[in-house]
Coordinates of all heavy atoms in Angstrom, one line a residue:
M1 N 60.5 97.3 114.5 CA 61.4 97.5 113.3 C 61.3 98.9 112.8 O 60.2 99.4 112.5 CB 61.0 96.5 112.2 CG 61.8 96.5 111.1 SD 61.2 95.3 109.8 CE 62.5 94.1 109.9
N2 N 62.4 99.6 112.7 CA 62.4 101.0 112.3 C 62.5 101.2 110.8 O 62.7 100.2 110.1 CB 63.4 101.9 113.1 CG 64.8 101.4 112.8 OD1 65.0 100.6 111.9 ND2 65.8 101.8 113.6
W3 N 62.4 102.4 110.4 CA 62.4 102.7 108.9 C 63.7 102.3 108.3 O 63.7 101.8 107.2 CB 62.1 104.2 108.7 CG 60.6 104.4 108.6 CD1 59.9 105.1 109.6 CD2 59.7 104.1 107.6 NE1 58.6 105.2 109.3 CE2 58.5 104.6 108.0 CE3 59.8 103.5 106.4 CZ2 57.3 104.4 107.3 CZ3 58.7 103.4 105.6 CH2 57.4 103.8 106.1
T4 N 64.8 102.6 108.9 CA 66.1 102.3 108.4 C 66.3 100.8 108.1 O 66.8 100.4 107.1 CB 67.2 102.8 109.3 OG1 67.0 104.2 109.5 CG2 68.6 102.6 108.7
T5 N 65.8 100.0 109.1 CA 65.9 98.5 108.9 C 65.1 98.1 107.7 O 65.5 97.2 106.9 CB 65.5 97.9 110.2 OG1 66.3 98.4 111.3 CG2 65.7 96.4 110.1
K6 N 63.9 98.6 107.6 CA 63.0 98.3 106.5 C 63.6 98.7 105.2 O 63.5 97.9 104.2 CB 61.6 98.9 106.7 CG 60.8 98.3 107.8 CD 59.4 99.0 107.8 CE 58.6 98.3 108.9 NZ 57.2 98.9 108.9
I7 N 64.1 99.8 105.1 CA 64.7 100.3 103.9 C 65.9 99.5 103.5 O 66.2 99.1 102.3 CB 65.1 101.8 103.9 CG1 63.7 102.6 104.0 CG2 65.9 102.3 102.8 CD1 63.9 104.0 104.1
R8 N 66.7 99.1 104.5 CA 67.9 98.2 104.2 C 67.4 96.9 103.6 O 68.0 96.3 102.7 CB 68.7 98.0 105.5 CG 69.5 99.1 105.8 CD 70.4 98.8 107.1 NE 70.9 100.0 107.7 CZ 72.0 100.6 107.2 NH1 72.6 100.1 106.2 NH2 72.5 101.7 107.8
Q9 N 66.4 96.3 104.2 CA 65.8 95.0 103.7 C 65.3 95.1 102.3 O 65.5 94.3 101.4 CB 64.8 94.5 104.7 CG 64.3 93.1 104.4 CD 65.4 92.1 104.7 OE1 66.3 92.3 105.6 NE2 65.5 91.0 103.9
I10 N 64.5 96.2 102.1 CA 64.0 96.5 100.7 C 65.1 96.6 99.7 O 65.0 96.1 98.6 CB 63.1 97.7 100.8 CG1 61.8 97.4 101.5 CG2 62.7 98.2 99.4 CD1 60.9 98.6 101.9
H11 N 66.2 97.4 100.1 CA 67.3 97.6 99.3 C 67.9 96.2 98.9 O 68.3 96.0 97.7 CB 68.3 98.5 99.9 CG 69.5 98.9 99.1 ND1 69.3 99.9 98.1 CD2 70.7 98.5 99.0 CE1 70.5 100.1 97.6 NE2 71.3 99.3 98.0
R12 N 68.1 95.3 99.8 CA 68.6 94.0 99.5 C 67.8 93.2 98.6 O 68.3 92.6 97.6 CB 68.8 93.2 100.9 CG 69.9 93.8 101.7 CD 70.0 92.9 103.0 NE 71.0 93.5 103.9 CZ 70.7 93.9 105.1 NH1 69.5 93.6 105.7 NH2 71.6 94.5 105.9
W13 N 66.5 93.2 98.8 CA 65.6 92.5 97.9 C 65.5 93.1 96.5 O 65.4 92.5 95.5 CB 64.2 92.4 98.5 CG 64.1 91.4 99.5 CD1 64.0 91.5 100.9 CD2 64.1 89.9 99.3 NE1 64.0 90.3 101.5 CE2 64.0 89.3 100.6 CE3 64.1 89.1 98.2 CZ2 64.0 88.0 100.8 CZ3 64.1 87.7 98.4 CH2 64.1 87.2 99.6
L14 N 65.6 94.4 96.4 CA 65.7 95.1 95.1 C 66.9 94.8 94.4 O 66.9 94.6 93.2 CB 65.6 96.6 95.3 CG 64.2 97.2 95.6 CD1 64.4 98.7 96.0 CD2 63.3 97.1 94.4
S15 N 68.0 94.6 95.1 CA 69.2 94.2 94.4 C 69.1 92.8 93.8 O 69.6 92.5 92.7 CB 70.5 94.3 95.3 OG 70.4 93.3 96.4
I16 N 68.4 91.9 94.5 CA 68.2 90.6 93.9 C 67.3 90.7 92.7 O 67.5 90.0 91.7 CB 67.6 89.7 95.0 CG1 68.6 89.4 96.1 CG2 67.0 88.3 94.4 CD1 68.0 88.7 97.3
A17 N 66.2 91.5 92.8 CA 65.3 91.7 91.7 C 66.1 92.3 90.5 O 65.8 91.9 89.3 CB 64.1 92.5 92.1
F18 N 66.9 93.3 90.7 CA 67.7 93.9 89.6 C 68.6 92.8 89.0 O 68.7 92.8 87.7 CB 68.5 95.1 90.2 CG 69.4 95.7 89.2 CD1 68.8 96.4 88.1 CD2 70.7 95.6 89.3 CE1 69.6 97.0 87.2 CE2 71.6 96.1 88.3 CZ 71.0 96.8 87.3
T19 N 69.3 92.0 89.8 CA 70.2 91.0 89.2 C 69.4 90.0 88.4 O 69.9 89.7 87.3 CB 70.9 90.3 90.4 OG1 71.6 91.3 91.2 CG2 71.9 89.3 89.9
L20 N 68.3 89.6 88.8 CA 67.5 88.7 88.0 C 67.0 89.3 86.7 O 67.0 88.6 85.7 CB 66.3 88.2 88.8 CG 66.6 87.3 90.0 CD1 65.4 86.9 90.8 CD2 67.3 86.0 89.5
A21 N 66.6 90.6 86.8 CA 66.1 91.3 85.6 C 67.3 91.4 84.6 O 67.1 91.2 83.4 CB 65.6 92.6 86.0
V22 N 68.5 91.7 85.1 CA 69.6 91.8 84.1 C 69.9 90.4 83.5 O 70.2 90.3 82.3 CB 70.9 92.3 84.9 CG1 72.1 92.1 84.1 CG2 70.6 93.8 85.2
L23 N 69.8 89.3 84.3 CA 70.1 88.0 83.8 C 69.0 87.6 82.7 O 69.3 87.0 81.7 CB 70.1 87.0 84.9 CG 71.3 87.1 85.9 CD1 71.1 86.1 87.0 CD2 72.6 86.8 85.1
V24 N 67.7 88.0 83.0 CA 66.7 87.8 82.0 C 67.0 88.6 80.7 O 66.8 88.1 79.6 CB 65.3 88.1 82.6 CG1 64.3 88.2 81.5 CG2 64.9 87.2 83.7
N25 N 67.5 89.8 80.9 CA 67.8 90.6 79.7 C 68.9 90.0 78.9 O 68.9 89.9 77.7 CB 68.2 92.0 80.2 CG 68.2 93.0 79.1 OD1 68.1 92.7 78.0 ND2 68.4 94.3 79.5
I26 N 69.9 89.5 79.6 CA 71.0 88.9 78.9 C 70.6 87.6 78.2 O 71.0 87.3 77.0 CB 72.2 88.6 79.8 CG1 72.8 89.9 80.3 CG2 73.2 87.7 79.2 CD1 73.8 89.7 81.4
A27 N 69.8 86.8 78.8 CA 69.3 85.6 78.2 C 68.4 85.9 77.0 O 68.5 85.2 76.0 CB 68.5 84.8 79.3
A28 N 67.6 87.0 77.1 CA 66.8 87.3 75.9 C 67.6 87.8 74.8 O 67.2 87.6 73.6 CB 65.8 88.4 76.4
M29 N 68.7 88.5 75.1 CA 69.6 89.0 74.0 C 70.3 87.9 73.2 O 70.6 88.1 72.1 CB 70.6 90.0 74.6 CG 70.1 91.3 74.9 SD 71.4 92.4 75.5 CE 70.5 93.9 75.7
T30 N 70.5 86.8 73.9 CA 71.2 85.6 73.2 C 70.2 85.0 72.2 O 70.7 84.3 71.3 CB 71.6 84.6 74.2 OG1 70.5 84.0 74.9 CG2 72.6 85.1 75.2
R31 N 68.9 85.2 72.3 CA 68.0 84.6 71.4 C 67.6 85.6 70.2 O 66.6 85.4 69.6 CB 66.7 84.2 72.1 CG 67.0 83.2 73.2 CD 65.8 82.8 73.9 NE 66.0 81.8 74.8 CZ 65.5 80.5 74.8 NH1 64.7 80.2 73.8 NH2 65.9 79.6 75.7
G32 N 68.3 86.7 70.1 CA 68.0 87.6 69.1 C 67.6 89.0 69.6 O 67.8 89.2 70.8
Q33 N 66.9 89.8 68.8 CA 66.4 91.1 69.3 C 65.2 90.9 70.3 O 64.2 90.5 69.8 CB 66.0 91.9 68.0 CG 65.7 93.3 68.4 CD 66.8 94.1 68.9 OE1 68.0 93.8 68.6 NE2 66.5 95.2 69.7
P34 N 65.5 91.3 71.5 CA 64.4 91.2 72.5 C 63.4 92.3 72.4 O 63.7 93.4 71.8 CB 65.1 91.2 73.8 CG 66.3 92.1 73.6 CD 66.7 91.8 72.2
P35 N 62.1 92.1 72.9 CA 61.2 93.2 72.9 C 61.7 94.3 73.8 O 62.5 94.1 74.7 CB 59.9 92.6 73.4 CG 60.1 91.1 73.5 CD 61.6 90.9 73.4
V36 N 61.1 95.5 73.6 CA 61.5 96.7 74.3 C 61.3 96.5 75.8 O 62.1 96.9 76.7 CB 60.8 97.9 73.8 CG1 61.2 99.1 74.7 CG2 61.1 98.2 72.4
W37 N 60.2 95.9 76.2 CA 59.8 95.7 77.6 C 60.9 94.9 78.4 O 61.1 95.1 79.6 CB 58.5 95.2 77.8 CG 58.3 93.7 77.4 CD1 57.9 93.3 76.2 CD2 58.5 92.5 78.1 NE1 57.8 92.0 76.1 CE2 58.2 91.5 77.3 CE3 59.0 92.3 79.4 CZ2 58.4 90.1 77.8 CZ3 59.1 91.0 79.9 CH2 58.8 89.9 79.0
V38 N 61.5 94.0 77.7 CA 62.6 93.2 78.3 C 63.8 94.1 78.7 O 64.4 94.0 79.7 CB 63.1 92.0 77.4 CG1 64.2 91.3 78.0 CG2 61.9 91.0 77.2
G39 N 64.1 95.0 77.8 CA 65.2 95.9 78.1 C 64.9 96.9 79.2 O 65.7 97.3 79.9
L40 N 63.6 97.2 79.4 CA 63.2 98.1 80.4 C 62.9 97.4 81.7 O 62.6 98.0 82.7 CB 61.9 98.9 80.0 CG 62.1 99.8 78.8 CD1 60.8 100.4 78.4 CD2 63.1 100.9 79.0
L41 N 62.9 96.1 81.7 CA 62.6 95.3 82.9 C 63.5 95.6 84.1 O 63.0 95.7 85.2 CB 62.7 93.8 82.5 CG 62.3 92.8 83.6 CD1 60.8 92.9 83.7 CD2 62.7 91.4 83.1
A42 N 64.7 95.9 83.9 CA 65.6 96.2 85.0 C 65.6 97.6 85.4 O 66.2 98.0 86.4 CB 67.1 95.8 84.6
L43 N 64.8 98.5 84.7 CA 64.8 99.9 85.0 C 64.1 100.3 86.3 O 64.6 101.1 87.1 CB 64.2 100.7 83.8 CG 64.5 102.1 83.8 CD1 66.0 102.4 83.7 CD2 63.8 102.7 82.5
L44 N 63.0 99.6 86.6 CA 62.2 99.9 87.8 C 63.0 99.6 89.1 O 63.2 100.4 89.9 CB 60.9 99.2 87.8 CG 60.0 99.5 89.0 CD1 59.7 100.9 89.2 CD2 58.8 98.6 89.0
P45 N 63.6 98.3 89.2 CA 64.4 98.1 90.4 C 65.6 99.0 90.4 O 66.0 99.3 91.6 CB 64.8 96.6 90.2 CG 64.0 96.0 89.2 CD 63.4 97.1 88.4
L46 N 66.2 99.3 89.3 CA 67.4 100.2 89.3 C 67.0 101.6 89.9 O 67.8 102.1 90.7 CB 67.9 100.3 87.9 CG 69.2 101.2 87.8 CD1 70.3 100.5 88.6 CD2 69.6 101.3 86.3
I47 N 65.9 102.1 89.5 CA 65.5 103.4 90.0 C 65.2 103.4 91.5 O 65.6 104.3 92.3 CB 64.2 104.0 89.3 CG1 64.6 104.3 87.8 CG2 63.6 105.2 89.9 CD1 63.4 104.5 86.9
L48 N 64.5 102.3 92.0 CA 64.2 102.2 93.4 C 65.5 101.9 94.2 O 65.7 102.4 95.3 CB 63.2 101.0 93.6 CG 61.9 101.3 93.0 CD1 61.0 100.1 93.1 CD2 61.2 102.5 93.7
L49 N 66.5 101.2 93.6 CA 67.8 101.0 94.2 C 68.5 102.3 94.4 O 69.2 102.5 95.4 CB 68.6 100.0 93.4 CG 68.6 98.5 93.7 CD1 69.3 97.7 92.6 CD2 69.0 98.2 95.1
L50 N 68.4 103.1 93.4 CA 69.1 104.5 93.5 C 68.5 105.3 94.6 O 69.2 105.8 95.4 CB 68.9 105.2 92.1 CG 69.4 106.6 92.1 CD1 70.9 106.7 92.3 CD2 69.0 107.4 90.9
A51 N 67.2 105.3 94.7 CA 66.5 106.1 95.8 C 66.9 105.5 97.2 O 67.3 106.3 98.1 CB 65.0 106.1 95.6
S52 N 66.8 104.2 97.3 CA 67.1 103.7 98.7 C 68.6 103.7 98.9 O 69.0 104.0 100.1 CB 66.6 102.2 98.8 OG 67.2 101.4 97.8
G53 N 69.4 103.6 97.9 CA 70.8 103.7 98.1 C 71.3 105.1 98.5 O 72.1 105.3 99.4
L54 N 70.7 106.1 97.9 CA 71.0 107.5 98.3 C 70.5 107.8 99.7 O 71.3 108.5 100.4 CB 70.3 108.5 97.3 CG 71.0 108.5 95.9 CD1 70.2 109.4 95.0 CD2 72.4 109.0 96.0
Y55 N 69.4 107.2 100.1 CA 68.9 107.5 101.4 C 69.9 106.8 102.4 O 70.3 107.5 103.4 CB 67.5 106.8 101.6 CG 67.1 106.8 103.1 CD1 66.6 108.0 103.7 CD2 67.2 105.7 103.9 CE1 66.2 108.0 105.0 CE2 66.7 105.7 105.2 CZ 66.2 106.8 105.7 OH 65.9 106.8 107.0
L56 N 70.3 105.6 102.2 CA 71.2 104.9 103.1 C 72.6 105.6 103.1 O 73.3 105.6 104.1 CB 71.3 103.4 102.7 CG 70.1 102.6 102.9 CD1 70.2 101.2 102.3 CD2 69.7 102.6 104.4
F57 N 73.0 106.2 102.0 CA 74.3 106.9 101.9 C 74.2 108.2 102.8 O 75.2 108.5 103.5 CB 74.6 107.2 100.5 CG 75.9 108.0 100.3 CD1 77.1 107.4 100.4 CD2 75.8 109.4 100.1 CE1 78.3 108.1 100.3 CE2 77.0 110.1 99.9 CZ 78.2 109.5 100.0
V58 N 73.2 108.9 102.7 CA 73.0 110.2 103.4 C 72.7 110.0 104.9 O 73.1 110.9 105.7 CB 72.0 111.0 102.7 CG1 71.7 112.3 103.5 CG2 72.4 111.4 101.3
L59 N 72.2 108.9 105.2 CA 71.7 108.7 106.6 C 72.8 109.0 107.7 O 72.5 109.7 108.6 CB 71.2 107.3 106.8 CG 70.4 107.0 108.0 CD1 69.2 107.9 108.1 CD2 70.0 105.5 108.0
P60 N 74.0 108.5 107.6 CA 75.0 108.7 108.7 C 75.4 110.2 108.7 O 75.6 110.7 109.8 CB 76.2 107.9 108.2 CG 75.8 107.0 107.2 CD 74.5 107.5 106.6
Y61 N 75.4 110.9 107.6 CA 75.7 112.3 107.6 C 74.6 113.1 108.2 O 74.9 114.1 109.0 CB 76.0 112.8 106.2 CG 77.2 112.1 105.6 CD1 77.0 111.2 104.5 CD2 78.5 112.4 106.0 CE1 78.0 110.5 104.0 CE2 79.6 111.7 105.4 CZ 79.3 110.8 104.4 OH 80.4 110.1 103.8
A62 N 73.4 112.8 108.0 CA 72.2 113.5 108.6 C 72.2 113.2 110.1 O 71.9 114.1 110.8 CB 71.0 113.0 107.9
R63 N 72.5 112.0 110.5 CA 72.5 111.8 111.9 C 73.6 112.5 112.7 O 73.4 113.1 113.7 CB 72.7 110.2 112.2 CG 71.5 109.4 112.0 CD 71.7 108.0 112.4 NE 70.5 107.2 112.1 CZ 70.5 105.9 112.1 NH1 71.6 105.2 112.4 NH2 69.4 105.3 111.9
R64 N 74.8 112.6 112.0 CA 75.9 113.3 112.6 C 75.5 114.8 112.7 O 75.8 115.5 113.7 CB 77.1 113.1 111.8 CG 78.4 113.7 112.4 CD 79.7 113.4 111.7 NE 79.7 112.0 111.2 CZ 80.2 111.7 110.0 NH1 80.7 112.6 109.3 NH2 80.3 110.4 109.7
R65 N 74.9 115.3 111.7 CA 74.6 116.8 111.6 C 73.5 117.0 112.7 O 73.5 118.1 113.3 CB 74.1 117.2 110.3 CG 73.8 118.6 110.1 CD 73.5 119.0 108.7 NE 73.4 120.4 108.6 CZ 72.9 121.0 107.6 NH1 72.5 120.4 106.5 NH2 72.8 122.3 107.5
G66 N 72.5 116.1 112.9 CA 71.5 116.3 113.9 C 72.1 116.3 115.3 O 71.6 117.0 116.2
A67 N 73.1 115.4 115.5 CA 73.7 115.3 116.8 C 74.5 116.6 117.1 O 74.6 117.0 118.3 CB 74.6 114.1 116.9
E68 N 75.1 117.3 116.1 CA 75.9 118.5 116.3 C 74.9 119.6 116.7 O 75.3 120.5 117.4 CB 76.7 118.8 115.1 CG 77.8 117.9 114.9 CD 78.6 118.2 113.6 OE1 78.2 119.1 112.8 OE2 79.5 117.4 113.3
A69 N 73.7 119.6 116.1 CA 72.8 120.7 116.3 C 72.2 120.7 117.7 O 71.8 121.7 118.3 CB 71.7 120.7 115.3
S70 N 72.2 119.5 118.4 CA 71.6 119.4 119.7 C 72.5 119.9 120.8 O 73.6 120.0 120.7 CB 71.2 117.9 120.0 OG 70.3 117.5 119.1

């Protein structure tokens, strides 16, 4: 299993974690003013999703550029 496959799998699981965190946030908001940590709950998966998503976005361009240089 190479790095790209692992990052794709991690990206998929992070999207599930982010979705669940958003749902928890929405559920907490229906019960009144939630604690601050509930609002920040979705922030960690979102940052990791951004990093892995940017990597996956740039990957085809980097491969194409590497092939042109050879």
Side-chain angles (χ1 to χ4, degrees):
M1 187 181 247
N2 60 15
W3 276 105
T4 304
T5 307
K6 285 184 181 183
I7 291 177
R8 285 183 194 280
Q9 190 66 32
I10 290 169
H11 188 78
R12 289 181 187 123
W13 282 104
L14 283 171
S15 67
I16 293 170
F18 175 71
T19 302
L20 290 175
V22 168
L23 292 175
V24 166
N25 195 350
I26 291 171
M29 285 184 175
T30 62
R31 298 179 178 246
Q33 185 66 26
V36 175
W37 66 268
V38 174
L40 298 175
L41 188 64
L43 198 56
L44 179 63
L46 182 62
I47 291 169
L48 295 173
L49 270 172
L50 175 66
S52 62
L54 286 173
Y55 171 79
L56 292 172
F57 177 77
V58 171
L59 192 61
Y61 300 107
R63 283 186 179 166
R64 189 176 314 144
R65 186 172 184 191
E68 289 175 0
S70 296

